[in-house]
Amino acid sequence: MGRAREMGVDGDICSRALVRLLLGHHSVDPIAEPQILVISTILSAMAYNYPPEKLSIYLSDDAGSILTFYALWEASRFAKHWLPFCKQYNVEPRSPAAYFSKFCNPGDAFNPTKWSPMKNLYEEMANRIDSVAMLGKIPEELKANKGFSEWSSGMTSRNHPPIVQILIDGRDQGSIDSNGNALPTLVYMAREKRPQHHHHFKAGAMNALIRVSSEISNSPIILNMDCDMYSNNSESIRQALCFFMDKEKGHDIGFVQYPQFFDNITKNDLYGNSLNVINQVDLPGLDGWGGPPYLGTGCFHRREILYGRKYGKDYEEDRTAGIERQTAKNASMLEEKAKSLITCTYEHNTQWGQEIGLKYDCPAEDIITGLLIQCRGWKSVLINPPRKAFLGVAPTTLAESLVQYKRWSEGHFQILLSKYCAFILGRGKIKLGLQMGYCIYGLWAPNSLPTLYYLVIPSLCLLKGVSLFPKIISPWAIPFAYIAMGKHVYELVEALQYGDTLAGWWNLQRMWILRATTSYFYGTIDTILKLLGISKMRFTITAKVSADGNASKRYEQEVIEFGSTSSMFVIIAVVALLNLLCLVGGLHSLVVDGRIMGLEPLFIQILLCALVVAIHFPIFEALFIRKDKGSLPFSVTFLSLGFATLAYLITIA
Ligand SMILES: *[C@@H]1O[C@H](CO)[C@@H](O)[C@H](O)[C@H]1NC(C)=O
Ligand SMILES: *[C@@H]1O[C@H](CO)[C@@H](O)[C@H](O)[C@H]1NC(C)=O
């Protein structure tokens, strides 16, 4: 760290940053990723403190929805007021949704007569976008405007032609804001989708984006952001460019990665989403070994390396190659050319998805892409300034969080077992420490097996009176005690040091267990089935915001949100109930048989079982006490009681 230099970015050929945004797996359901959050992200990027004529913003809408296009069209008009406002008053953060939300009310220091007209303008726009999203179609009178005619009836998110629309053409003298200043280029794109063609998920969308942007702006630096993150710092582009432009050390830097932070984590981080320790301990550690992985969002890349370029001595001389800006063509010619680059068949018989662009056929495509870049000789850099650059929305229900971790752990486990394992791919190319760093995450998924073992077997043995661990007073107990204490005390200190609370640490321990028994376990099984060729790859979406008003209240009060029937919840409840039964049954038989004096051989098991019961306390609440909509449904209670009792009876029989 600390490699950043102060440096002006104007005037250098390299400073033509291109910002492009990726709208993630935008589902058909506008509720899942509300349009207003998406365009707030876009507006925050358009308002970067950076010369607008050198900035181009692309929204890749993987659902190809006219509603998203409409929202972006509204944003392109609102930007004409928002951008000069941001610059005049030095507003931060520049996402209007975040700025006007209750979390950062503009405040007393800033005269309301200055910002309230802007707030009204924003709310009017938000209302229009919301009501159009509710209706599910755009007003008739808009159809005459450029762009809207691209949509015809019968088009769906899975079946539509390529669409590219330049909403603001930065080269055009007429594209100016309300103060007469230039605006950044703004482009909407949706690649062609046909049911018979595989679309390769986010990696496919990113590769389409790389090609479209090469046609329209072709800037040498690309930032990609997921649509659920907004820029919290208008200086981030300049900060990141300092690394690329460093005259002494910048020449071998392939990408600059900002860590992922979230702006709606509750005080004690109920679902352990904050990544505080990973962001502030793991990633700087990897940075020291040659660079952090590419995390898929909040990352600046050199365009050339996404085209598969190897690092070499000749790199310096080629700096200016390939950044000729298309000035001769007019916007509609550019749009037509760009469309031809994102058809379903464009990539056939090319290296896209293999040697060029983001890698296909793995859920953790970003990690592999980053590793391949590092193996081609490039370094990456972690940049983590105190004021966070990008803030995202963390999952606010248990199911969302578990699904997210399933995807992550499964992706990393698949990498570990494939030819892209860092030990194989990186051998002799990246440092051993970095290879090991990549593999830690790959071991999350298989870790579910020993965790499940420790959650179930010692408790069942306790019930039967079988001792598995050394007596608590025997010297053989010392290694167990040392490892258990050492690990947890160390983790606790680390967590407290990097901003977690004590209760937050306890919540994280619970989440580790819940993830291990569900996300990681499913990830392991899916990966193994896939290796055996039994199941096809699945990629689940997380819903971003819960619809029920009470659900968000419960989230703020840190009450775990179940609410739905899921096999994951059954597993969680069975583990909790089984341990409760074993603890009660085991202690009972100790007392009844008068063996209470012979506690020592079973002491560690009793302790373990009691801790498991204690950490599952919110699960018991949801099973038996809570009556709200977010508690466990009766079917889950019924099934889990059945399974746990069965296991209990079989054991004591
Ligand atoms: C989290 O984000 C959602 C959606 O943006 C919002 O409704 C909720 O109030 C936020 N919660 C917290 C605690 O920040
Ligand atoms: C986001 O930016 C604001 C100022 O714009 C700052 O007060 C806040 O601390 C930042 N958030 C984080 C998490 O750094």
Side-chain angles (χ1 to χ4, degrees):
M1 290 299 289
R3 274 192 262 167
R5 304 271 154 82
E6 273 185 39
M7 188 178 285
V9 281
D10 290 358
D12 189 291
I13 193 92
C14 218
S15 65
R16 258 196 231 155
L18 153 73
V19 174
R20 72 194 168 98
L21 295 169
L22 178 73
L23 174 62
H25 302 98
H26 186 70
S27 65
V28 247
D29 179 9
I31 305 291
E33 245 145 27
Q35 320 277 357
I36 194 71
L37 290 187
V38 175
I39 64 158
S40 284
T41 300
I42 301 279
L43 286 161
S44 74
M46 291 177 78
Y48 268 119
N49 179 16
Y50 199 72
E53 64 280 7
K54 296 176 180 175
L55 199 59
S56 311
I57 322 280
Y58 295 80
L59 172 70
S60 160
D61 177 11
D62 233 17
S65 158
I66 193 168
L67 302 177
T68 305
F69 179 71
Y70 166 72
L72 195 67
W73 178 80
E74 285 280 1
S76 71
R77 299 183 344 146
F78 178 69
K80 295 185 178 165
H81 307 280
W82 178 247
L83 265 51
F85 172 78
C86 287
K87 287 176 186 163
Q88 184 174 357
Y89 298 111
N90 213 3
V91 160
E92 292 285 353
R94 296 187 174 181
S95 148
Y99 183 67
F100 292 125
S101 78
K102 61 180 185 292
F103 301 110
C104 24
N105 209 307
D108 312 327
F110 190 13
N111 188 344
T113 56
K114 301 256 170 52
W115 55 261
S116 62
M118 190 54 63
K119 187 170 184 178
N120 290 341
L121 212 57
Y122 168 70
E123 278 170 357
E124 281 164 30
M125 172 183 69
N127 288 339
R128 284 197 300 275
I129 291 175
D130 277 350
S131 55
V132 164
M134 293 292 235
L135 271 177
K137 60 181 180 56
I138 57 153
E140 279 304 315
E141 65 269 21
L142 279 179
K143 297 243 166 90
N145 284 304
K146 178 180 176 290
F148 289 96
S149 56
E150 299 270 335
W151 278 265
S152 57
S153 59
M155 274 166 60
T156 66
S157 62
R158 299 245 166 81
N159 194 359
H160 61 80
I163 301 169
V164 177
Q165 281 296 317
I166 303 179
L167 282 159
I168 300 177
D169 187 352
R171 304 167 309 159
D172 186 353
Q173 299 299 323
S175 303
I176 47 170
D177 64 25
S178 61
N179 280 358
N181 298 316
L183 284 168
T185 298
L186 181 64
V187 180
Y188 172 93
M189 62 162 283
R191 60 194 167 125
E192 183 180 23
K193 286 268 186 74
R194 300 293 175 203
Q196 66 273 29
H197 290 283
H198 194 342
H199 56 75
H200 299 293
F201 307 102
K202 180 172 167 180
M206 293 278 289
N207 286 344
L209 206 45
I210 294 171
R211 292 196 298 273
V212 166
S213 63
S214 75
E215 183 60 28
I216 296 175
S217 49
N218 202 21
S219 315
I221 305 285
I222 296 175
L223 159 65
N224 90 277
M225 270 163 91
D226 281 353
C227 62
D228 61 353
M229 299 210 117
Y230 65 86
S231 150
N232 194 50
N233 186 349
S234 62
E235 298 296 330
S236 302
I237 296 186
R238 287 169 187 264
Q239 289 173 350
L241 288 185
C242 287
F243 289 99
F244 290 118
M245 295 173 64
D246 189 313
K247 288 253 161 29
E248 285 153 32
K249 294 186 180 157
H251 57 99
D252 62 349
I253 290 175
F255 60 91
V256 175
Q257 175 72 57
Y258 281 93
Q260 224 177 333
F261 288 94
F262 304 96
D263 76 342
N264 75 345
I265 301 271
T266 51
K267 178 162 164 280
N268 297 316
D269 193 9
L270 182 60
Y271 301 120
N273 282 325
S274 75
L275 306 178
N276 270 339
V277 171
I278 289 189
N279 284 341
Q280 294 172 80
V281 180
D282 292 21
L283 292 182
L286 293 182
D287 194 46
W289 283 112
Y294 167 40
L295 302 178
T297 179
C299 188
F300 290 78
H301 280 278
R302 284 186 203 275
R303 178 183 291 275
E304 296 160 275
I305 62 158
L306 287 175
Y307 282 97
R309 199 191 160 95
K310 282 203 175 66
Y311 173 70
K313 291 248 179 315
D314 58 331
Y315 175 64
E316 203 74 45
E317 292 142 39
D318 277 14
R319 251 192 172 181
T320 55
I323 49 174
E324 202 93 323
R325 196 138 182 204
Q326 312 275 351
T327 44
K329 293 184 187 160
N330 66 26
S332 54
M333 283 160 77
L334 282 180
E335 284 168 1
E336 287 312 312
K337 181 75 208 306
K339 277 185 203 170
S340 70
L341 303 178
I342 51 171
T343 58
C344 285
T345 51
Y346 181 86
E347 290 181 354
H348 289 181
N349 303 321
T350 67
Q351 285 296 317
W352 281 97
Q354 304 306 322
E355 294 296 311
I356 308 180
L358 268 77
K359 192 86 183 105
Y360 289 161
D361 304 325
C362 177
E365 73 285 327
D366 30 22
I367 302 290
I368 291 190
T369 304
L371 180 60
L372 284 168
I373 290 172
Q374 288 172 336
C375 290
R376 284 192 216 110
W378 299 96
K379 293 215 161 35
S380 62
V381 178
L382 178 76
I383 170 168
N384 188 8
R387 197 168 110 206
K388 305 308 172 212
F390 299 102
L391 296 180
V393 183
T396 55
T397 68
L398 181 63
E400 278 170 17
S401 184
L402 292 178
V403 167
Q404 186 182 55
Y405 272 86
K406 168 174 182 261
R407 203 175 66 220
W408 286 349
S409 65
E410 186 179 350
H412 281 274
F413 188 37
Q414 282 179 13
I415 298 179
L416 189 73
L417 297 183
S418 72
K419 62 180 184 211
Y420 300 108
C421 167
F423 286 125
I424 299 172
L425 197 66
R427 208 162 67 101
K429 293 181 180 143
I430 57 173
K431 290 185 184 153
L432 183 64
L434 191 56
Q435 295 172 21
M436 289 164 72
Y438 269 99
C439 290
I440 291 176
Y441 308 106
L443 294 173
W444 277 359
N447 199 299
S448 59
L449 302 177
T451 308
L452 270 172
Y453 173 86
Y454 274 96
L455 285 172
V456 175
I457 303 300
S459 308
L460 288 178
C461 289
L462 169 66
L463 188 61
K464 276 205 103 88
V466 178
S467 164
L468 290 181
F469 295 99
K471 285 184 190 172
I472 188 70
I473 43 166
S474 120
W476 295 108
I478 293 175
F480 286 93
Y482 175 76
I483 290 179
M485 295 289 287
K487 173 184 185 288
H488 289 107
V489 169
Y490 190 85
E491 268 188 6
L492 175 63
V493 170
E494 224 172 37
L496 293 178
Q497 190 179 351
Y498 291 103
D500 290 347
T501 59
L502 188 63
W505 172 78
W506 182 246
N507 286 337
L508 189 60
Q509 304 309 305
R510 178 181 319 109
M511 282 310 294
W512 169 259
I513 290 181
L514 302 191
R515 283 173 201 153
T517 52
T518 58
S519 319
Y520 300 166
F521 184 56
Y522 284 19
T524 308
I525 295 194
D526 266 6
T527 305
I528 290 172
L529 289 182
K530 222 183 129 191
L531 274 184
L532 299 177
I534 298 174
S535 83
K536 282 231 146 62
M537 188 170 78
R538 268 164 297 169
F539 201 98
T540 345
I541 330 166
T542 47
K544 290 298 175 200
V545 178
S546 41
D548 173 9
N550 288 331
S552 64
K553 196 178 285 163
R554 285 193 289 273
Y555 177 62
E556 268 151 47
Q557 289 166 351
E558 308 204 310
V559 176
I560 298 186
E561 185 73 22
F562 298 92
S564 54
T565 311
S566 156
S567 58
M568 295 200 281
F569 297 160
V570 177
I571 299 187
I572 290 173
V574 169
V575 168
L577 286 170
L578 191 61
N579 275 279
L580 185 64
L581 289 176
C582 290
L583 184 66
V584 173
L587 286 178
H588 178 256
S589 61
L590 278 182
V591 174
V592 168
D593 303 352
R595 283 196 289 125
I596 196 74
M597 298 311 289
L599 191 82
E600 287 146 19
L602 289 174
F603 186 81
I604 294 183
Q605 270 152 282
I606 296 175
L607 188 70
L608 189 63
C609 193
L611 280 173
V612 173
V613 169
I615 210 154
H616 281 94
F617 182 69
I619 315 296
F620 298 121
E621 260 185 340
L623 278 170
F624 303 121
I625 303 171
R626 282 167 57 188
K627 294 274 176 289
D628 56 78
K629 277 217 173 76
S631 67
L632 279 164
F634 177 72
S635 56
V636 173
T637 313
F638 182 77
L639 275 177
S640 53
L641 267 175
F643 284 129
T645 318
L646 193 67
Y648 177 86
L649 292 176
I650 291 175
T651 312
I652 56 171

